[in-house]
Amino acid sequence: MRRGISGGQKKRVTTGEMLVGPARALFMDEISTGLDTSTTFHIVNSLRQSIHILNGTALISLLQPAPETYDLFDDIILLSDGHVVYQGPRENVLEFFEYMGFKCPERKGVADFLQEVTSRKDQEQYWARKDEPYSSISVKELAEAFQSFHIGQKLGDDLAVPFDKSKSHPAALTKDKYGVSKKELLKACVSREYLLMKRNLFVYVFKMIQLIFIGVITMTIFIRTEMHRDTITDGGIFMGALFFILIMIMFNGFAELAMTILKLPVFYKQRDLLFYPSWAYSLPALILKTPISILEVTVWVFMSYYVIGFDPDVGSFFKNYLVLLCLSQMASGLFRLMGGLGRNIIVANTCGSFALLTVLVMGGFILTRDDVKKWWKWGYWISPLMYAQNAIAVNEFLGKSWRHVPPNSTEPLGVLVMKSRGIFPEPHWYWIGVGALIGYCFLFNFLFTLALKYLDPFGKPQAVISKETLAERIASKTGENIELSSRGRDSSGEPREEQVHHRDRCLGKLLVSMKLIKRG
């Protein structure tokens, strides 16, 4: 519900992210789009200082840069119609065009001059040889003339000589996949996750208030004065109370799914730029969410356990607490895994709902173990909720309150209740259930880490061009004539003059790329 940061701030953050990574060569396309002149100047100036200090290289294309921004660059690469018209120091670019007969007016921005001088429509106004008749010079001719210019000759000579690798700086190539040690990466990710948790404090406070409110309602429904221990039916009501508690603790972590998906776009960008490995991103969530799970389970158990009237033995109390804590951690890992696999809130909710329905139905309460069909037995044995249901039921119904033997029976009432609901009545099933929940917790977090490492976001944007634009680009390289579509022709079939001018204008748009590199 907060406004968020502005477009200029987003540009700064993105540029800062690029500088943090291990890359020493930055390729930045139109980073000034949507920014004012002053902001563009400050960003490029910061890049220039960073590149010069750290001995890096940046290739930047800007859309109509201001003269102050243009003067920050060291080298210019002028591209037009697939040809390199000029590549060299910024100070010599005007010298080259004066060599070709074109001069930039005194009050004309050099960047604007470079974008117009290769266009057949705008070229004539810059013709400086008044004693000679003007003749249009094509982009191909300009590119060929650059090869004979002293800057082009020097560039060709430099490229003809193989580079002596012994002269390269030892740190010119990054040999480590990540910029810092694993310990530092983990500390940085823990710090970031903690910051995000503080920003989302409202979510955790709301979840706690919701848990307390539902806990009060639960205590009034299953209040101990109305909870008897005389028959199997009474035991079924206690079983229902236990199942309801399991569902509440499990679904209290459902917010993890949405928050995980909302953070994925930033993660995918930083993962692909080798900021940190996937485990360094997933592990802090497991570590920092554990205190929250402890607090939620503590509030619930201390509020409801004795009010509902579960077994009063203190050992049973803490065993109940342990089961719910393991269940809360397992649920958080499960919902994070659903978010990592779904990668989209719609997909995650759709597929996740089916998975949760299976977990609930096969949890051992809605359908008892004896009622599950043979071909669905595997679903019963892999359901985490089944192990939680068995563990918490064994802890309760093998307690002192359920050891009395009802009339016409040879077994304690607690054992009869568990057998009627398909629960294993052996004491060791408590520790089997706890161990299974802990195992599922680590399994889900491990699978979440694998999903982060190997899965990519849906629908990567791809640049799409029309067939006409593609044909024009091919023709500009081969020198062939192309036939315009009927939209560009008048009734006589000839190309309209404004359409030709528009095409020339499009083909004459220049990608003015600048390279920042330390001098000397």
Side-chain angles (χ1 to χ4, degrees):
M1 298 175 67
R2 297 180 182 177
R3 175 183 174 272
I5 62 176
S6 66
Q9 290 169 327
K10 289 180 181 179
K11 292 281 187 179
R12 293 185 183 94
V13 171
T14 303
T15 304
E17 282 183 322
M18 300 305 106
L19 296 177
V20 166
R24 286 293 170 263
L26 304 177
F27 300 88
M28 315 177 80
D29 183 28
E30 294 189 7
I31 60 174
S32 63
T33 303
L35 300 180
D36 57 87
T37 304
S38 176
T39 304
T40 302
F41 175 81
H42 287 302
I43 290 178
V44 176
N45 190 34
S46 299
L47 282 170
R48 181 176 185 269
Q49 296 177 17
S50 173
I51 291 299
H52 285 182
I53 293 173
L54 300 177
N55 293 334
T57 300
L59 190 66
I60 306 175
S61 67
L62 291 181
L63 190 64
Q64 294 180 324
E68 298 83 5
T69 305
Y70 171 82
D71 292 337
L72 294 174
F73 293 97
D74 296 327
D75 293 337
I76 302 295
I77 301 176
L78 186 60
L79 305 178
S80 181
D81 295 352
H83 297 281
V84 179
V85 178
Y86 178 85
Q87 178 180 350
R90 172 177 53 83
E91 294 82 0
N92 299 104
V93 65
L94 294 182
E95 178 188 352
F96 166 69
F97 282 101
E98 289 178 0
Y99 166 76
M100 296 301 299
F102 301 99
K103 187 175 182 180
C104 177
E106 293 184 0
R107 303 187 65 180
K108 181 76 173 180
V110 179
D112 295 333
F113 165 75
L114 296 177
Q115 288 181 308
E116 295 176 358
V117 71
T118 56
S119 171
R120 286 182 293 176
K121 178 181 178 182
D122 301 319
Q123 192 181 75
E124 185 176 1
Q125 59 182 314
Y126 301 115
W127 183 251
R129 299 174 183 173
K130 303 300 182 182
D131 54 338
E132 299 180 13
Y134 165 74
S135 177
S136 175
I137 301 179
S138 66
V139 173
K140 187 175 181 181
E141 292 172 339
L142 288 173
E144 293 174 351
F146 174 70
Q147 303 299 324
S148 60
F149 189 60
H150 68 90
I151 299 296
Q153 290 179 348
K154 183 178 181 302
L155 179 63
D157 295 339
D158 293 340
L159 293 176
V161 178
F163 178 69
D164 186 3
K165 295 183 179 181
S166 63
K167 296 180 181 180
S168 63
H169 194 277
L173 293 178
T174 302
K175 298 180 176 61
D176 297 326
K177 189 173 183 180
Y178 302 103
V180 295
S181 63
K182 296 179 180 179
K183 181 180 178 181
E184 293 297 325
L185 287 173
L186 183 59
K187 285 175 59 178
C189 290
V190 168
S191 178
R192 193 263 297 277
E193 186 67 25
Y194 178 67
L195 176 63
L196 291 176
M197 289 176 62
K198 289 197 298 183
R199 290 179 179 175
N200 294 325
L201 183 62
F202 172 79
V203 175
Y204 300 106
V205 173
F206 181 83
K207 284 172 58 182
M208 182 61 67
I209 295 175
Q210 180 188 31
L211 195 67
I212 294 173
F213 179 73
I214 297 178
V216 172
I217 295 177
T218 305
M219 291 186 294
T220 59
I221 295 176
F222 300 103
I223 194 165
R224 63 182 302 167
T225 56
E226 302 294 331
M227 304 289 282
H228 307 292
R229 298 182 178 87
D230 300 327
T231 63
I232 294 178
T233 303
D234 296 336
I237 297 175
F238 273 91
M239 188 75 74
L242 292 173
F243 179 74
F244 179 76
I245 291 172
L246 294 177
I247 297 301
M248 280 308 308
I249 296 298
M250 182 172 179
F251 279 91
N252 196 51
F254 194 79
E256 285 292 323
L257 188 145
M259 289 193 292
T260 298
I261 293 176
L262 289 175
K263 292 187 292 185
L264 284 180
V266 173
F267 164 76
Y268 286 130
K269 176 175 65 174
Q270 296 178 347
R271 178 201 66 179
D272 295 340
L273 292 171
L274 302 180
F275 278 22
Y276 44 76
S278 299
W279 64 264
Y281 178 84
S282 61
L283 191 57
L286 174 63
I287 297 173
L288 296 180
K289 298 299 172 61
T290 300
I292 295 178
S293 297
I294 293 175
L295 180 61
E296 292 174 349
V297 174
T298 300
V299 170
W300 179 275
V301 173
F302 276 85
M303 280 181 56
S304 62
Y305 188 85
Y306 286 109
V307 177
I308 294 177
F310 291 124
D311 187 66
D313 182 68
V314 66
S316 299
F317 173 85
F318 284 107
K319 283 185 176 181
N320 182 284
Y321 176 87
L322 179 60
V323 172
L324 296 182
L325 179 60
C326 295
L327 177 68
S328 177
Q329 287 292 89
M330 182 278 300
S332 297
L334 175 62
F335 290 122
R336 280 194 290 270
L337 175 60
M338 289 182 180
L341 292 176
R343 293 161 286 165
N344 181 284
I345 194 66
I346 299 176
V347 176
N349 281 333
T350 304
C351 300
S353 298
F354 175 76
L356 288 177
L357 181 63
T358 305
V359 170
L360 287 176
V361 173
M362 297 298 167
F365 182 82
I366 299 176
L367 288 178
T368 64
R369 176 163 49 95
D370 300 329
D371 294 332
V372 178
K373 300 296 183 182
K374 291 182 179 181
W375 55 86
W376 270 107
K377 286 291 184 182
W378 62 271
Y380 176 82
W381 287 104
I382 68 171
S383 174
L385 195 60
M386 182 274 288
Y387 294 97
Q389 183 73 37
N390 275 271
I392 201 170
V394 165
N395 176 63
E396 171 63 24
F397 292 105
L398 291 183
K400 296 179 180 179
S401 302
W402 298 91
R403 291 179 182 175
H404 61 279
V405 180
N408 303 322
S409 177
T410 58
E411 294 180 312
L413 179 59
V415 175
L416 295 176
V417 172
M418 286 189 286
K419 287 184 176 181
S420 67
R421 299 300 305 174
I423 303 296
F424 297 97
E426 293 83 8
H428 63 268
W429 264 95
Y430 172 82
W431 296 109
I432 292 177
V434 171
L437 290 176
I438 295 175
Y440 272 117
C441 174
F442 286 107
L443 175 64
F444 290 149
N445 283 279
F446 175 71
L447 294 177
F448 174 58
T449 304
L450 293 182
L452 292 177
K453 182 176 181 179
Y454 293 107
L455 296 182
D456 294 321
F458 292 120
K460 285 189 175 181
Q462 300 291 339
V464 179
I465 61 175
S466 65
K467 292 182 178 179
E468 291 185 358
T469 304
L470 179 61
E472 289 175 352
R473 292 184 180 182
I474 296 175
S476 65
K477 294 180 180 180
T478 60
E480 299 176 355
N481 293 325
I482 61 172
E483 184 176 347
L484 295 175
S485 64
S486 58
R487 290 179 298 172
R489 298 179 179 274
D490 55 21
S491 56
S492 62
E494 295 296 327
R496 288 199 290 262
E497 182 179 359
E498 61 271 16
Q499 185 72 14
V500 173
H501 287 168
H502 174 71
R503 184 192 64 184
D504 294 342
R505 186 87 175 170
C506 291
L507 293 178
K509 285 183 179 179
L510 307 177
L511 176 63
V512 184
S513 303
M514 298 96 177
K515 183 174 69 172
L516 298 168
I517 190 166
K518 189 173 182 181
R519 299 177 182 274

